[in-house]
Amino acid sequence: MAHWASAIVCEPSLLCLPHPFTRFGEISEEEGGAPLTRYYWAAEGNSAFPAGINVAATFSRDLMRRRGIAMGEEFRGKGIDVQLGPVAGPLGRVPAGGRNWEGFSPDPYLTGVAIAETVEGIQSRGVIACAKHYILNEQEHYRTSIDVRIDDRTMHEVYLWPFADAVRAGVGSVMCSYNKINGSWSCENEWTTNYLLKNELNFQGFVVSDWGGQHTGPLSALAGLDMAMPGDGGRPPYGSLWGGALTEAVLSGSVPQWRLDDMVIRIMAAHFKVNAGNFSERPEINFSAWTNETTGPLHPSSNQSWAVVNKRVDVQGDHGELIREIGAKSIVLLKNIRNALPLAQPLSLAVIGEDAQDTPGGPNACPERGCDNGTLAMGWGSGTAEFPYLVSPATALKIRAERDGTAFTNISGNGDLAAAQAAARNVSTAIVFANADAGENFITLAGNAGDRNNLTLWGGGEELIRAVAAVNNNTIVVLHTVGPVIIEFAREHPNITALLWAGLPGQESGNALVDVLYGEVNPQGRSPFTWGEKAEDWGPMELLYQAPDPRAPNQTFSEGVFVDYRYFNHAGIGPSYEFGLGLSYTSFQYTNLSIVAHGETAYQAARGETQPAPKFGTINPDLAANTPPDGFKKISPYIYPWLDSATSVLGGNDTLTSPPGSLNGSAQPLLPASGAPGGNPGLYDVVYTISTAIQNTGEVFGTEIPQLYLQLGGKDNPFAVLRGFDEVPLVPGEAKTVVFNVTRRDISNWNTATQDWEINKEDKVMFIGSSSRLLHLNSTLPPLG
């Protein structure tokens, strides 16, 4: 039976787990279970990159891909086969969602571009990317039990959209999520896995479960799961839902041989795909995920075969420069009045707030970043990393102040408002810092169980900002947050002259911020989410904190396709700051709009059938032939594919009914929207080319981010949806032509009756602007064909 024992799978942060490995998982007490052991692990000699939400804020395809390349280089340098990332689930439906920061944006188009660029970057360095968490994993409360109810159209136009982009980019693996979808667990949901992912999107790689995400044996195999994270339990004697139990299921016919062969081919095809050419030889695993000691057991938890397990290989290269660049270019300048920024050698400067400071005990003092002490540069949980170093804003600003001869004062806490006001009262510029954190729900921080309890600033941040602004009429506010916070008071306050969102910028946090504050980098960041004036502004996008029945929590995504800015526009709600907004130190002008329709090329729904499921080799049905070889010594508690004995037969059947048709290996009809990875190739035909000229009309170099929005027409569609963006660097007076290629998919809606994409008969309107509301050009699109 297949056994890929040498693989290493790893979180995006370089917190890694050997596979197979000892039992692992977490169950929150509120879900009715006792917490299982959570092992802390870490790697060293790696970089701490900006979070996904930051790279989305750059609106830069180049930086998205370069970050993927750099991460791929580091994973490969550690000997890792699979990076468990990037993330498109959670998409960010709920603004307080604990792991939104690991992903990119609640806009599916922006997330789709970001995940595709990241996948291609990672896999270009010989590491398999794993798009996760598939799908609808939109909150941490009840994440292992919540049943999400969703309609077919919303699934396609919002949540499946970025995963389609990942598949089209050639992603090698997809991780299924913990939650249920319309009644069935994600990792055994035949609709999402077999029907949508493997048939409609023609995904060619393997589906792997999240830890604890597998609930059944043969049923999960028949529903499309290809690789299980070991340790999810199971009936004796195997202690696993697969392993020897899967062997018995195949021998009994509960799982056809072709399904087993399909699992193996998918896993190895992904491995060979990314390891071709220059990456045919991969480094050996050179670190341990279980100990920081140099020596330790070669097989974790077995206490056997001690060896050198941590070789201290440094894989950082020059990635600090890229991290600083992303950190600076992801900063979103939300407010800038009276030319407060950029700073020009101010006479005196006060830096105020705990969020500006070095972390007591060092940046890695709290395991998996499970505290909010000092400056916030990443969230907490399994998407974190060990910092090789962390440059705090206070440190970087002090260095710059000394260079410029600026009198410098630093107030390191939030609690002493009198001291903060005394420091701010007589300085020319006061910079006050505040944050809001979140993460995975195995850590509860300040009463926040992964998800945020609200959208306020942490640690008295609002009170600190108000106190400083009351005594200094040139108060600059810097926010390190995992997502939107309620900040309307700062937008309106006349003494708050500048407001910047710096997100979770990674190890070069302070240096990146100084680059923007002093104009070394003209800010190009654009908000990857909407900032509401109050929590109620997000409408039905609420987090389920307390289920009526904690044993069977469920939630209906009743807002449909109206998520984030789409909902604000639909409901007529004015935000504090809209999606896509970001100010610059220069100005831009848009002219010369041109629209060319390429005609309606005939869109062909996919027809025909697949090939029959192939079988490779034969299986010896004799039970004794599938037991361990003579003399083989198992390493406990590793999981093996062999039978426990020649007479131990579990029967191979789950009590649940197998998915319809899942035992049928004959040729199957193609779905209309299928035909190639990512879906029907006709969806990606360019149907319009839209161009505009953009000129830098200011006095300094700057990068504009033009954004294309399309109105698809009809009351069931949002006012406009993002369908293009570009990164346009311009010196003063320079003009460039920007071209947007609009595909058929971009102007289509999902038809639930035909199970295909279609262009409705409503007029289509295009908008080009600097944000989702600051729209400079618009025109009705000419008819096609």
Side-chain angles (χ1 to χ4, degrees), residues 139-208:
Q139 65 172 64
E140 289 297 286
H141 283 72
Y142 304 109
R143 67 172 178 162
T144 62
S145 57
I146 194 168
D147 186 1
V148 176
R149 312 296 173 84
I150 191 169
D151 64 272
D152 190 23
R153 181 194 170 199
T154 301
M155 173 67 92
H156 279 83
E157 295 189 17
V158 180
Y159 299 97
L160 189 64
W161 183 288
F163 283 101
D165 288 319
V167 172
R168 191 163 186 257
V171 70
S173 63
V174 169
M175 177 185 282
C176 49
S177 53
Y178 287 129
N179 51 284
K180 291 181 178 179
I181 301 144
N182 295 338
S184 298
W185 298 106
S186 174
C187 291
E188 57 202 40
N189 191 303
E190 66 271 19
W191 178 52
T192 57
T193 305
N194 281 340
Y195 186 86
L196 294 180
L197 183 64
K198 290 186 172 181
N199 195 332
E200 184 181 312
L201 298 187
N202 199 14
F203 173 59
Q204 299 294 306
F206 63 92
V207 177
V208 59

Side-chain angles (χ1 to χ4, degrees), residues 343-366:
L343 298 175
Q345 297 184 342
L347 294 176
S348 53
L349 177 67
V351 172
I352 301 170
E354 182 180 344
D355 181 64
Q357 312 303 319
D358 292 319
T359 302
N364 301 315
C366 299

Side-chain angles (χ1 to χ4, degrees), residues 21 334 495 731 774:
F21 70 110
L334 295 168
N495 284 354
V731 299
L774 187 58

Side-chain angles (χ1 to χ4, degrees), residues 128-362:
I128 299 170
C130 179
K132 66 177 193 179
H133 305 84
Y134 182 79
I135 194 169
L136 307 180
N137 180 187
E138 293 296 318
Q139 65 172 64
E140 289 297 286
H141 283 72
Y142 304 109
R143 67 172 178 162
T144 62
S145 57
I146 194 168
D147 186 1
V148 176
R149 312 296 173 84
I150 191 169
D151 64 272
D152 190 23
R153 181 194 170 199
T154 301
M155 173 67 92
H156 279 83
E157 295 189 17
V158 180
Y159 299 97
L160 189 64
W161 183 288
F163 283 101
D165 288 319
V167 172
R168 191 163 186 257
V171 70
S173 63
V174 169
M175 177 185 282
C176 49
S177 53
Y178 287 129
N179 51 284
K180 291 181 178 179
I181 301 144
N182 295 338
S184 298
W185 298 106
S186 174
C187 291
E188 57 202 40
N189 191 303
E190 66 271 19
W191 178 52
T192 57
T193 305
N194 281 340
Y195 186 86
L196 294 180
L197 183 64
K198 290 186 172 181
N199 195 332
E200 184 181 312
L201 298 187
N202 199 14
F203 173 59
Q204 299 294 306
F206 63 92
V207 177
V208 59
S209 63
D210 205 341
W211 283 276
Q214 185 187 24
H215 295 269
T216 59
L219 178 59
S220 60
L222 295 173
L225 186 66
D226 300 302
M227 177 188 287
M229 292 294 187
D232 284 354
R235 290 176 290 174
Y238 302 111
S240 172
L241 293 167
W242 278 3
L246 179 60
T247 301
E248 290 198 13
V250 174
L251 292 174
S252 71
S254 297
V255 174
Q257 180 193 334
W258 60 260
R259 174 76 269 261
L260 176 68
D261 291 345
D262 182 49
M263 296 178 190
V264 177
I265 292 298
R266 286 175 175 274
I267 293 167
M268 297 313 299
H271 177 75
F272 289 125
K273 170 186 171 67
V274 303
N275 283 281
N278 295 333
F279 301 106
S280 57
E281 298 293 331
R282 71 173 178 88
E284 289 297 316
I285 300 162
N286 52 56
F287 74 102
S288 171
W290 305 99
T291 178
N292 288 329
E293 299 297 324
T294 300
T295 59
L298 187 61
H299 308 292
S301 300
S302 69
N303 204 32
Q304 299 177 24
S305 305
W306 278 60
V308 174
V309 293
N310 277 311
K311 298 182 180 178
R312 319 290 180 188
V313 176
D314 191 319
V315 295
Q316 297 175 78
D318 61 355
H319 298 157
E321 297 175 11
L322 173 64
I323 291 168
R324 182 170 180 169
E325 182 181 0
I326 295 173
K329 291 182 176 179
S330 63
I331 290 174
V332 181
L333 181 59
L334 295 168
K335 179 180 180 180
N336 190 23
I337 62 174
R338 301 199 297 274
N339 296 316
L341 294 177
L343 298 175
Q345 297 184 342
L347 294 176
S348 53
L349 177 67
V351 172
I352 301 170
E354 182 180 344
D355 181 64
Q357 312 303 319
D358 292 319
T359 302

Side-chain angles (χ1 to χ4, degrees), residues 624-705:
N626 292 280
T627 56
D630 291 340
F632 183 84
K633 183 179 180 180
K634 292 183 179 180
I635 299 172
S636 177
Y638 278 36
I639 296 167
Y640 296 90
W642 291 296
L643 302 183
D644 187 62
S645 72
T647 58
S648 174
V649 179
L650 298 174
N653 290 304
D654 285 315
T655 57
L656 301 175
T657 304
S658 299
S662 60
L663 298 173
N664 183 359
S666 63
Q668 301 294 310
L670 293 175
L671 295 177
S674 187
N680 193 308
L683 294 173
Y684 300 95
D685 290 341
V686 175
V687 292
Y688 292 102
T689 298
I690 300 173
S691 63
T692 184
I694 300 177
Q695 183 177 21
N696 183 341
T697 56
E699 298 179 354
V700 296
F701 172 87
T703 297
E704 175 65 327
I705 306 292

